[in-house]
Amino acid sequence: MAKKQFKTESKKLLDMMVNSIYTHKEIFLRELISNASDAIDKLYFRSLTDDSVGLKHSDFEIRLAVDKENRILTVTDNGIGMTKDELENNLGTIAKSGSLDFKSDEENKNDKIDIIGQFGVGFYSAFMVADNIKVESRAYGSDEAFVWESSGADGYTVKPCDKDTVGTVITLHIKEDTEEEKYGEFLETYRIRELIKKYSDYIRYPIKMLTSHRQLKEGTENEYEDVYEDETLNSMTPIWKKPQSKVKDEEYAEYYKAKFADYEAPLKVIRQSTEGNATYTALLFIPAHAPYDYYSRDYEKGLQLYSSSVMIMEKCKDLLPDHFSFVKGLVDSADLSLNISREMLQHDRQLKIIAKALEKKIASELGKMLKSDREKYEQFFKEFGAQLKWGIYSTFGANREELQDLLLFKTSADAKPGEVKFTTLKEYVDRARENQDKIYYAVGETAEKIAMLPQVESVLSKGYEVLYLTEDIDEFCVQILRDYDKKAFLNVCTDNLDLGDEEEKAQLKEANDNSEELFKFMKESIGDKVAKVRYTNTLKNHAVCLSSEGNVSVGMEQILNKMPGTEGQNIKAETVLEINMDHPIKDKLLFLFGNDKEKLADYSKILYAQARLINGLNLENPAEISDLVCDLMV
Ligand code: ADP
C-alpha cells in the first residue's frame, strides 16, 4: 500500500521531532494523555444527553501498558474515537498548520524549543521517543475501525483493522537507546508514575496501569512473589479543587504550560473562589508573553468553562472582556447547567455575574502587581499594554475608570540617556508643576526620536514633562481619555500649545497678521501638503518645524493611512509649517518676498523639506530638494 505524504509543514515539524534536540522529550506522555482525556470528555458529554452511549462517568479510563522486551508503550482510551477521515485529517496535518509560518531551516536551529512550546505540537511529540506509531481507533457511532501507522516523515498509511470497542489505542515503539539518550526509561514503571504525577495528576479520569511489586508469599517466611495489581496513577483532583495552600507555584505553572500550550511559566496566577451571588472557582493565568497570534485576527479569547468539574466549553468568550483577552484559564461553577447550549449560555444571568466579577478581579490583581512589583508589571505591559489602551479606545472610554490607572506611557521624566522610562498618569500628575493644567505628549517612532523634536525640546526646556507616545494606539487612547485628573492631554506639536506669556502672545499675533501675504505665497509654493504657514515662538534653535491643527495629528495621519480599510481615503492631518519668529530666516523671507519671489518659492520648498526631516518624516521629493539646495550653493 502506497504511503500518503504529510503536508509540507507537518513534515518539517515531524523532521524536527524525529531529530529533536529538545530536552523535555518526556512531555510526549502528557500530550497523549491530554488527547485521550479530551476524547473521553467528548464522549462523556454526549452520554449526558444520549442514553445509547451506555457508559457512566466511572466507566471511563485511560490505560497505559508496557512491554519492555518489545519496547512497546500503549496508551488506550475509551473516548469518542476517530473515523477514517478524522485519522487522516487530525494526524496527517498539524492542527494549527494554517497559521504556522515556518522560518528558514537556518533560523529554526535555535528556535526548536520555542516552536515545540508555542504550538503545542501534541500528538507529533511522540515521534521524539518512538520510531513507529500506530493509532487504532473506532469512532463512536461507527462499526468500523481503522489503524493509522507511521514511522516518521516518510509518510503514513491508514487501513481497516479489528477493534471491538469505541475509543483509541496508541502503540509506540520506543526508540533504541543511544549514548546520549536512554529512551528505555519511558518503559519503566517508576518513571511513568513520576511523569503522570508531574504532568497529568489532575486528569479527571483514572489513568490506570498494571503494576507489580514483590511481596512475601502468604504462609511463608522468606519466599517472595510478584503481585500484579491495577494501579491508578493520578489523584484525579482538578488542581483548582485542591486547597490553595497545598498547590505549589510550580504545579500551577506545569498545569498552565500543559493545558494552554505555553513554554513559559505564567507571569501571574490568579485564583478566586466565591460563594453568594454566584458560586464558582476561577483559576486564571496571565501569560508571560503574548502568543504568536495574539495581535492577529486568528486569536480567540475565552476561558474554559466547567460545571462541577466537567468541561462544558473549551473557550467561553463571554467570560472575558476584550481588554483582558490575554487572560487564560478556567471557571468552574456548580450553578451552571451541564446541558446548557451555547446560545442559551450567552444570555445566562449567572454567567454575566461571573464575568463581571472576574473582570473586577483581574483589574484589581493587575493594580496590585503595578504597586508591588513594578518590574513585573512593566514586563506585562510591554506584552499586553496595547490591549488595555485599545480597550479604552474601542469603547469610547466607557471603561476608563477601570483601566486608566493601569496604563503606562513612555516619558521624559527621570530617563537617563539611552534609557526608556515608563510612567502612570497618576505619577505624571503628581510630578506636574504648580498650575500646570495639561498633560503634554508627543508622538513618534521611538522615545529618542521624539525627544529630538523641536517642540519637545522647547517644552522640556521650560521644565515640563512630556509623554512619549510610540505605540500606534497611544494617541488614539489619550484622545478618547481627553483628560486625567482634570488635566487635558495636549500634543505639543499642535497649534494649541500655548506656553508664552500675554505679551509674547500679542507679539506673535501681530507678526503673523503682518505676514499674511508672505505666508499665502509660501503655502502656494509648497502646494497642498501644508494647510498653513505661520510664525511660532516655541522653537528654541531650529528654524522650522511641523505641527498640526484639528484632531488628526501628523503621527495619526501615518497610522490611519496604513490601517486596513483606509486605502484611498487618504486621511490628512492639517499640517502647519511653523517658522521660528526669532530666527534670522524670518528677515530673509521678508526680504525675498519684496525682491525675489522665485527664490522665495524655492526657499519655501526647502524649509518644508527640512521641517519634515526634523520631524522624522521622509522627503516626498528628495531629488527635487537636493537640486534646489545645490542651486543655492553654486
Ligand atoms: P491538539 O490536541 O492540539 O488538537 P494533536 O496533534 O495532539 O493536537 O491532536 C490532533 C487531533 O487529533 C485532536 O484535536 C483530536 O481531534 C485528535 N485526537 C488525538 N488523539 C486522540 C484520541 N486519543 N482520541 C480521539 N481523537 C484524538
Side-chain angles (χ1 to χ4, degrees):
M1 188 168 175
K3 281 205 174 120
K4 302 202 178 177
Q5 292 304 305
F6 290 100
K7 300 242 167 76
T8 321
E9 298 92 336
S10 311
K11 200 167 154 143
K12 279 192 194 167
L13 188 60
L14 259 175
D15 266 335
M16 278 169 45
M17 287 298 151
V18 173
N19 308 308
S20 176
I21 49 141
Y22 189 50
T23 42
H24 290 82
K25 294 189 165 64
E26 60 187 40
I27 57 121
F28 83 94
L29 191 58
R30 160 189 102 186
E31 299 292 316
L32 296 185
I33 285 181
S34 148
N35 282 347
S37 166
D38 290 349
I40 294 179
D41 267 342
K42 285 181 195 157
L43 190 55
Y44 174 62
F45 192 53
R46 186 168 290 194
S47 75
L48 297 173
T49 51
D50 180 351
D51 286 340
S52 66
V53 174
L55 293 167
K56 300 190 298 298
H57 194 273
S58 56
D59 296 331
F60 289 102
E61 64 172 39
I62 298 164
R63 185 166 280 282
L64 304 180
V66 287
D67 169 355
K68 263 194 219 174
E69 218 169 305
N70 296 308
R71 298 186 77 83
I72 298 287
L73 170 64
T74 57
V75 180
T76 305
D77 69 67
N78 52 355
I80 195 134
M82 282 177 276
T83 61
K84 181 170 186 249
D85 281 352
E86 283 167 345
L87 281 169
E88 294 244 357
N89 293 334
N90 296 343
L91 308 181
T93 37
I94 14 172
K96 294 140 199 138
S97 62
S99 46
L100 272 185
D101 180 14
F102 273 96
K103 298 178 186 161
S104 71
D105 288 345
E106 198 41 47
E107 279 176 83
N108 262 338
K109 278 200 183 106
N110 308 322
D111 259 11
K112 280 188 176 141
I113 296 170
D114 285 12
I115 287 181
I116 291 170
Q118 278 185 32
F119 302 119
V121 290
F123 171 76
Y124 280 17
S125 60
F127 281 105
M128 292 194 289
V129 302
D131 48 23
N132 178 275
I133 300 180
K134 263 199 297 210
V135 181
E136 293 158 279
S137 198
R138 183 167 144 191
Y140 172 70
S142 161
D143 45 17
E144 300 174 284
F146 292 88
V147 51
W148 178 102
E149 183 169 2
S150 170
S151 300
D154 62 337
Y156 62 90
T157 57
V158 179
K159 296 186 263 199
C161 71
D162 290 327
K163 191 173 183 317
D164 298 338
T165 51
V166 171
T168 304
V169 183
I170 297 182
T171 305
L172 309 180
H173 182 265
I174 301 293
K175 291 181 188 174
E176 296 303 328
D177 290 358
T178 63
E179 279 290 309
E180 305 88 51
E181 291 283 353
K182 302 282 172 263
Y183 296 101
E185 63 174 311
F186 300 121
L187 298 162
E188 300 291 344
T189 306
Y190 83 91
R191 184 74 174 119
I192 292 174
R193 209 185 261 133
E194 200 175 270
L195 292 178
I196 299 297
K197 270 279 163 246
K198 182 166 173 192
Y199 295 114
S200 311
D201 193 52
Y202 55 85
I203 294 281
R204 284 179 310 100
Y205 306 99
I207 303 169
K208 291 185 180 168
M209 188 159 123
L210 200 60
T211 58
S212 66
H213 60 274
R214 303 219 98 191
Q215 74 175 38
L216 210 55
K217 210 167 169 177
E218 224 173 291
T220 68
E221 293 205 346
N222 51 9
E223 275 185 58
Y224 287 84
E225 62 178 355
D226 283 335
V227 183
Y228 287 86
E229 64 176 10
D230 234 3
E231 184 180 332
T232 299
L233 307 175
N234 55 330
S235 78
M236 290 191 280
T237 315
I239 192 164
W240 63 94
K241 287 269 154 113
K242 292 184 187 170
Q244 208 161 343
S245 57
K246 290 260 159 62
V247 189
K248 296 199 216 76
D249 289 354
E250 302 88 79
E251 282 178 70
Y252 280 131
E254 281 307 338
Y255 176 81
Y256 164 77
K257 288 198 271 184
K259 269 297 186 197
F260 299 99
D262 198 345
Y263 56 93
E264 214 179 332
L267 201 60
K268 172 116 196 112
V269 180
I270 302 173
R271 209 177 123 159
Q272 190 187 31
S273 294
T274 61
E275 276 167 30
N277 249 351
T279 305
Y280 68 88
T281 300
L283 178 60
L284 309 180
F285 303 95
I286 297 177
H289 60 117
Y292 70 99
D293 61 350
Y294 185 62
Y295 289 103
S296 81
R297 269 172 222 262
D298 294 338
Y299 183 80
E300 285 177 57
K301 65 169 183 173
L303 298 177
Q304 294 180 342
L305 187 59
Y306 288 78
S307 163
S308 304
S309 301
V310 178
M311 190 195 294
I312 53 176
M313 203 190 271
E314 179 70 42
K315 249 185 193 157
C316 180
K317 60 182 182 359
D318 300 319
L319 281 169
L320 284 178
D322 282 341
H323 54 270
F324 293 148
S325 61
F326 47 83
V327 175
K328 305 261 185 201
L330 60 93
V331 171
D332 189 350
S333 171
D335 297 346
L336 296 165
S337 155
L338 259 185
N339 305 331
I340 195 164
S341 75
R342 272 160 207 228
E343 293 71 38
M344 274 164 64
L345 209 48
Q346 277 185 358
H347 305 290
D348 193 84
R349 208 181 126 258
Q350 211 57 33
L351 199 73
K352 290 210 167 89
I353 296 174
I354 298 176
K356 258 277 127 307
L358 290 179
E359 179 176 350
K360 256 176 104 176
K361 177 74 177 167
I362 297 166
S364 100
E365 289 291 326
L366 287 173
K368 272 193 229 161
M369 196 202 290
L370 172 61
K371 281 210 185 72
S372 64
D373 193 344
R374 179 66 170 238
E375 204 177 314
K376 203 175 194 182
Y377 190 81
E378 287 190 8
Q379 188 190 341
F380 155 76
F381 204 83
K382 278 177 200 149
E383 297 293 326
F384 301 112
Q387 191 64 17
L388 302 189
K389 289 171 178 169
W390 175 255
I392 288 185
Y393 174 70
S394 62
T395 57
F396 304 104
N399 44 25
R400 62 179 298 159
E401 288 307 320
E402 176 176 299
L403 297 179
Q404 63 185 1
D405 285 314
L406 295 176
L407 303 183
L408 294 180
F409 294 95
K410 290 180 188 152
T411 180
S412 63
D414 299 335
K416 299 191 191 72
E419 183 190 57
V420 178
K421 280 271 187 185
F422 288 90
T423 184
T424 63
L425 296 174
K426 169 114 188 13
E427 289 160 352
Y428 181 103
V429 166
D430 287 347
R431 278 189 299 260
R433 296 176 51 183
E434 224 177 306
N435 299 330
Q436 178 182 341
D437 62 351
K438 299 279 190 303
I439 296 176
Y440 296 108
Y441 71 84
V443 182
E445 238 173 283
T446 62
E448 293 76 20
K449 283 190 185 171
I450 298 176
M452 288 187 312
L453 292 175
Q455 293 100 324
V456 173
E457 274 184 341
S458 121
V459 176
L460 290 179
S461 74
K462 295 196 164 73
Y464 295 101
E465 175 176 351
V466 179
L467 298 181
Y468 295 157
L469 306 194
T470 55
E471 303 294 321
D472 283 2
I473 187 68
D474 278 345
E475 194 176 16
F476 293 90
C477 174
V478 300
Q479 287 216 350
I480 287 288
L481 283 175
R482 284 251 232 348
D483 52 36
Y484 177 84
D485 197 16
K486 305 207 185 71
K487 296 189 197 310
F489 287 95
L490 181 67
N491 187 339
V492 301
C493 299
T494 55
D495 58 334
N496 302 327
L497 186 66
D498 172 15
L499 292 174
D501 58 28
E502 291 306 316
E503 196 183 327
E504 283 172 352
K505 268 191 242 170
Q507 272 176 6
L508 178 63
K509 180 160 186 329
E510 192 188 334
N512 271 324
D513 290 349
N514 290 341
S515 299
E516 245 172 55
E517 291 300 311
L518 164 70
F519 294 151
K520 205 165 148 231
F521 180 86
M522 288 182 73
K523 187 203 137 20
E524 269 158 24
S525 318
I526 300 167
D528 55 8
K529 286 168 267 186
V530 295
K532 225 187 224 180
V533 181
R534 67 159 172 249
Y535 291 131
T536 176
N537 57 7
T538 60
L539 291 181
K540 259 174 63 190
N541 309 316
H542 296 285
V544 283
C545 74
L546 286 185
S547 73
S548 62
E549 279 187 343
N551 285 333
V552 182
S553 70
V554 178
M556 284 175 109
E557 171 189 301
Q558 289 196 307
I559 295 165
L560 285 171
N561 284 322
K562 72 180 186 214
M563 265 171 22
T566 57
E567 295 88 353
Q569 291 183 21
N570 203 9
I571 299 155
K572 276 236 157 284
E574 294 277 294
T575 308
V576 180
L577 174 63
E578 294 196 314
I579 296 163
N580 187 348
M581 152 170 148
D582 303 319
H583 195 279
I585 192 73
K586 178 182 165 207
D587 298 332
K588 181 76 180 191
L589 292 172
L590 284 169
F591 171 79
L592 290 177
F593 188 58
N595 299 289
D596 190 346
K597 289 251 169 57
E598 208 175 315
K599 210 169 206 171
L600 177 59
D602 291 348
Y603 268 52
S604 304
K605 285 182 196 158
I606 294 171
L607 285 174
Y608 170 67
Q610 285 179 340
R612 282 188 70 86
L613 290 175
I614 291 173
N615 277 53
L617 302 170
N618 290 332
L619 292 187
E620 293 147 326
N621 49 349
E624 185 192 354
I625 296 301
S626 156
D627 288 348
L628 284 174
V629 175
C630 280
D631 287 350
L632 286 181
M633 292 165 88
V634 292

